[in-house]
Amino acid sequence: MITKLTWRNLWRNKRRTFITMGSVTFAVVLAVAMQSFQRGIFDNLVKNVVGFYYGYIQMHSKGYWEERIIDNGFIPDDSLLQRLQQTDGVTKLVPRLETFVLVSSGNTTKGAMLVGTDPEKENEFSHLETKLINGTYFTGSEEQAILGEGLSERLNITTGDTIVILSQGYQGTLAAGKYPVKAIAHFGSPDLNDRVLYLPLATTQSFLNAEGLLTSVSFGIHDPGKMMEVQQNISASAGSLYEIMNWKELMPEIANHIRADGGSFYIFTGILYLIIAFGIFGTILMMTTERRFEFGMLVAIGMKKIRLGLTLLIETIWITIAGVVAGLLISWPIVTWFSKNPIRISGKMAEVYERFGFEALFPTAVHVPIFITQSVIVLTIALLLGLYPVWYVFKLDPVSAMKK
């Protein structure tokens, strides 16, 4: 009986039902979109800076990160890299030899970070070949270079041109060499784009008079959520001669930025939930006020207030659930579209982001827990506010309610 009455009440005034349902739907879409953008922006930042180059975890000889010179590098034994590759949780690793150099072309000289890397492993790890905008990828240990797009523009060179590299080699030796530019690459991180220079690992070791030497090993991991556990596994495999650092330790400024933004996000989220609550309550209040005469008449002809309150509560539950489902159906394609077509800002705001080394790109993250969490929160808010009509009925005076 109550179920049938509730169903008829919902469709007796379709406009009122759809307005209430629409407020819940809009709340779900807004909450999901905000959470998805926040998660997507942070994921994109980590992917640009961590996934494109640094890796989630790095290994160095002890003390290297405090004084990053090649004399603090290490020569791995034959079994070390194989043992690290087999560590639980590790998917990929790439050995590198890195140092700072001067790069010259004509009368122009710029500082750059030279990265000597295994071409095949580097491509598996950071997909370097997919970032090329001109030229071709390394085919072996050829004596040719790949430059970041920003660095090539600062030197005013392109593929086929020749650069001169000067640096201090291993144990104070002089390192100098001439290398043709094989390709130009574009990176999501403006900082990398403006200063990175790649050579094959063997070529770099020969250039720096550092045969067999490495300064770091970067690791790709299966599950970023288990980063600390994988870090401990790598430390156990590597031994006490090496320091194992995750990306938060390597780049604390970015970790602090994400933490600070995360704190401010919770404040904005709280404000959003207040707005959502007032929006939903406004529609429920309107619905309750419109039906004041109806409630008074039902109570006057003998309907028990507890039965009427239960009817209203079931109405609220049905409307809220329908609104949440509609919100999910609408928000899913919106979030998916923005994940594939992210918002790219330009102008002075983009320059501010790039000055801090971030790509001015705002994608969304399509994570199922976001949809579930936000839907449950909005559903809970709506159901709690839905208790107001029940309270209103219990306080109702039928004679006063039927007066026009």
Side-chain angles (χ1 to χ4, degrees):
M1 177 65 182
I2 291 180
T3 303
K4 185 181 291 187
L5 180 61
T6 302
W7 182 255
R8 286 181 177 177
N9 283 341
L10 287 177
W11 301 112
R12 188 161 47 85
N13 191 327
K14 295 179 182 179
R15 180 182 62 85
R16 183 176 62 211
T17 299
F18 282 122
I19 288 175
T20 309
M21 188 187 302
S23 67
V24 177
T25 299
F26 178 74
V28 172
V29 172
L30 194 61
V32 168
M34 184 174 178
Q35 180 76 26
S36 297
F37 268 111
Q38 187 259 355
R39 179 70 179 270
I41 291 168
F42 287 164
D43 286 352
N44 185 62
L45 171 59
V46 173
K47 182 181 70 173
N48 281 345
V49 180
V50 177
F52 283 176
Y53 178 72
Y54 288 96
Y56 285 92
I57 300 171
Q58 279 194 12
M59 182 186 82
H60 326 103
S61 61
K62 279 195 177 297
Y64 171 80
W65 198 249
E66 293 298 321
E67 189 177 6
R68 280 168 267 179
I69 58 175
I70 61 172
D71 288 353
N72 288 337
F74 63 95
I75 299 177
D77 59 56
D78 294 339
S79 62
L80 177 61
L81 295 182
Q82 183 178 0
R83 190 166 67 248
L84 292 172
Q85 179 69 73
Q86 295 172 352
T87 302
D88 188 31
V90 173
T91 56
K92 302 177 183 68
L93 63 79
V94 55
R96 294 180 178 138
L97 176 58
E98 303 156 310
T99 191
F100 291 97
V101 298
L102 291 175
V103 186
S104 298
S105 176
N107 295 324
T108 305
T109 301
K110 299 293 181 182
M113 181 176 67
L114 171 61
V115 180
T117 186
D118 181 300
E120 183 178 349
K121 291 183 178 179
E122 183 68 50
N123 197 40
E124 292 176 354
F125 179 82
S126 64
H127 308 289
L128 179 57
E129 188 174 8
T130 64
K131 300 174 180 63
L132 301 185
I133 59 174
N134 197 358
T136 57
Y137 191 63
F138 297 126
T139 56
S141 297
E142 64 264 51
E143 296 189 351
Q144 298 187 73
I146 293 177
L147 273 66
E149 182 183 19
L151 180 59
S152 69
E153 290 174 354
R154 292 164 66 193
L155 293 170
N156 194 27
I157 57 175
T158 186
T159 52
D161 292 337
T162 298
I163 57 174
V164 176
I165 306 177
L166 298 172
S167 184
Q168 179 177 301
Y170 187 50
Q171 295 182 339
T173 59
L174 177 64
K178 256 185 3 177
Y179 301 95
V181 177
K182 186 176 180 66
I184 306 295
H186 174 79
F187 299 93
S189 167
D191 185 46
L192 288 177
N193 218 37
D194 288 342
R195 65 190 184 100
V196 75
L197 159 67
Y198 283 94
L199 286 175
L201 180 58
T203 302
T204 306
Q205 290 170 335
S206 176
F207 165 70
L208 295 171
N209 304 306
E211 300 299 330
L213 190 75
L214 301 177
T215 53
S216 68
V217 177
S218 293
F219 295 89
I221 61 178
H222 178 69
D223 183 1
K226 297 181 178 179
M227 181 176 67
M228 303 302 293
E229 180 183 335
V230 178
Q231 183 179 357
Q232 293 175 355
N233 294 339
I234 295 172
S235 184
S237 298
S240 60
L241 296 177
Y242 303 97
E243 57 186 16
I244 313 300
M245 304 174 68
N246 62 55
W247 72 268
K248 295 180 181 180
E249 297 168 320
L250 295 169
M251 294 168 287
E253 67 283 356
I254 293 179
N256 291 335
H257 167 75
I258 292 176
R259 194 178 300 114
D261 271 16
S264 62
F265 170 76
Y266 287 119
I267 296 174
F268 285 120
T269 302
I271 295 172
L272 173 66
Y273 290 147
L274 283 175
I275 295 172
I276 288 171
F278 279 114
I280 295 174
F281 182 69
T283 57
I284 291 176
L285 186 63
M286 174 195 70
M287 177 188 72
T288 305
T289 304
E290 282 184 352
R291 300 175 69 183
R292 185 169 180 266
F293 181 84
E294 173 191 340
F295 296 157
M297 184 186 66
L298 289 172
V299 172
I301 63 176
M303 188 174 189
K304 293 183 178 180
K305 288 184 177 180
I306 190 170
R307 186 179 291 272
L308 178 58
L310 182 60
T311 302
L312 295 175
L313 183 61
I314 294 174
E315 283 183 33
T316 303
I317 291 173
W318 282 6
I319 290 174
T320 303
I321 292 175
V324 168
V325 171
L328 289 175
L329 293 176
I330 293 172
S331 60
W332 182 271
I334 292 174
V335 170
T336 303
W337 192 88
F338 278 110
S339 71
K340 297 178 180 178
N341 304 275
I343 298 172
R344 183 180 293 276
I345 61 174
S346 57
K348 291 185 178 180
M349 184 62 71
E351 292 176 6
V352 171
Y353 274 85
E354 291 178 359
R355 194 176 301 124
F356 285 94
F358 307 147
E359 188 179 21
L361 200 66
F362 293 166
T364 55
V366 185
H367 291 292
V368 173
I370 292 176
F371 292 85
I372 295 174
T373 302
Q374 298 306 311
S375 297
V376 169
I377 291 173
V378 173
L379 181 64
T380 303
I381 292 172
L383 290 179
L384 288 175
L385 294 174
L387 294 174
Y388 171 76
V390 179
W391 173 84
Y392 182 86
V393 165
F394 277 98
K395 300 284 288 183
L396 184 71
D397 176 28
V399 176
S400 300
M402 287 187 293
K403 287 182 179 179
K404 298 238 179 166

